[in-house]
Amino acid sequence: GIQVEQSPPDLILQEGANSTLRCNFSDSVNNLQWFHQNPWGQLINLFYIPSGTKQNGRLSATTVATERYSLLYISSSQTTDSGVYFCARNAGKSTFGDGTTLTVKP
Amino acid sequence: DSGVTQTPKHLITATGQRVTLRCSPRSGDLSVYWYQQSLDQGLQFLIQYYNGEERAKGNILERFSAQQFPDLHSELNLSSLELGDSALYFCASSQLAGVEDTQYFGPGTRLTVL
């Protein structure tokens, strides 16, 4: 089946630092989303980004469909950014990566 | 708030029992998806319905079943519950049925099987 690999699995940052999360796909990317699962378990939609670049405040995402990967950038991180970040590909059956657990320390 | 509602928020039951989880999609969304999130399995896609019809099936056990009603709300039925069924169950909705569509997640139902 389709493989979705996320890296790094864990990331610890000091508040104010920048980070890059990566998502690799084993097959073509025609529907890709990034989500943030906060410490209370809520899944929040960050980006729908099958290709190109999008920005929303301190967050931005880039998908290079031809290379089968997507990147999520978090700038000037805050403690509220902590949680698990998932990328997901939906091609009939949705496939989620295992997530990157981000901890931002004050 | 995504606009997707799920009830109940928490459910505690015993092995062998049957439970029903309910999901109401965002206004205007025709697709509903169900996911299971357990500690050792991550987020697993279970099933998708579009406008009342089953659209895609994932790793859904035979003890589990779902349906989408004419008013577009959906129910996930879990029967003969086992300890391993304890998990967070999410519902998501999207406008369309196709691949190029954004999913919005509900707050989840936390199921504990004792």
Side-chain angles (χ1 to χ4, degrees):
Chain A
I2 299 161
Q3 303 294 320
V4 178
E5 295 182 354
Q6 290 189 243
S7 59
D10 300 282
L11 190 55
I12 300 174
L13 299 174
Q14 208 64 36
E15 200 168 27
N18 302 328
S19 61
T20 301
L21 283 57
R22 186 177 177 107
C23 185
N24 289 333
F25 295 85
S26 61
D27 203 341
S28 60
V29 177
N30 46 16
N31 176 314
L32 190 149
Q33 288 189 252
W34 282 97
F35 295 92
H36 174 217
Q37 187 167 35
N38 64 24
W40 295 270
Q42 187 179 6
L43 272 165
I44 299 162
N45 193 332
L46 297 177
F47 294 102
Y48 167 75
I49 186 163
S51 63
T53 297
K54 287 186 178 179
Q55 180 151 9
N56 184 3
R58 296 181 295 103
L59 273 61
S60 65
T62 295
T63 296
V64 183
T66 53
E67 300 289 325
R68 300 178 183 176
Y69 72 88
S70 184
L71 303 173
L72 179 69
Y73 306 96
I74 304 174
S75 65
S76 303
S77 58
Q78 300 175 357
T79 56
T80 51
D81 294 331
S82 295
V84 184
Y85 289 82
F86 291 101
C87 62
R89 176 183 180 275
N90 180 20
K93 302 179 182 182
S94 298
T95 304
F96 276 71
D98 289 337
T100 292
T101 300
L102 175 64
T103 303
V104 181
K105 295 187 172 182
Chain B
D1 185 359
S2 67
V4 180
T5 60
Q6 289 187 247
T7 56
K9 287 186 179 178
H10 301 276
L11 198 47
I12 301 174
T13 187
T15 54
Q17 295 299 304
R18 172 189 171 95
V19 297
T20 297
L21 313 183
R22 182 187 170 104
C23 169
S24 292
R26 295 186 320 153
S27 177
D29 285 359
L30 298 177
S31 269
V32 168
Y33 308 76
W34 285 99
Y35 294 86
Q36 179 193 56
Q37 186 178 32
S38 54
L39 285 175
D40 58 346
Q41 292 278 330
L43 265 160
Q44 298 288 317
F45 168 70
L46 296 178
I47 197 163
Q48 177 199 358
Y49 279 84
Y50 173 72
N51 206 20
E53 300 289 327
E54 183 183 303
R55 185 78 178 191
K57 211 167 190 175
N59 303 319
I60 188 165
L61 300 173
E62 285 191 11
R63 300 183 286 109
F64 296 179
S65 65
Q67 60 184 124
Q68 187 179 27
F69 294 87
D71 67 352
L72 301 176
H73 91 272
S74 178
E75 293 181 356
L76 179 66
N77 300 297
L78 315 176
S79 62
S80 303
L81 285 168
E82 303 175 357
L83 295 177
D85 297 329
S86 294
L88 197 50
Y89 290 84
F90 285 104
C91 164
S93 75
S94 68
Q95 273 193 324
L96 307 171
V99 170
E100 298 179 359
D101 206 10
T102 302
Q103 294 184 36
Y104 295 90
F105 278 74
T109 292
R110 187 170 295 279
L111 174 66
T112 303
V113 182
L114 302 175

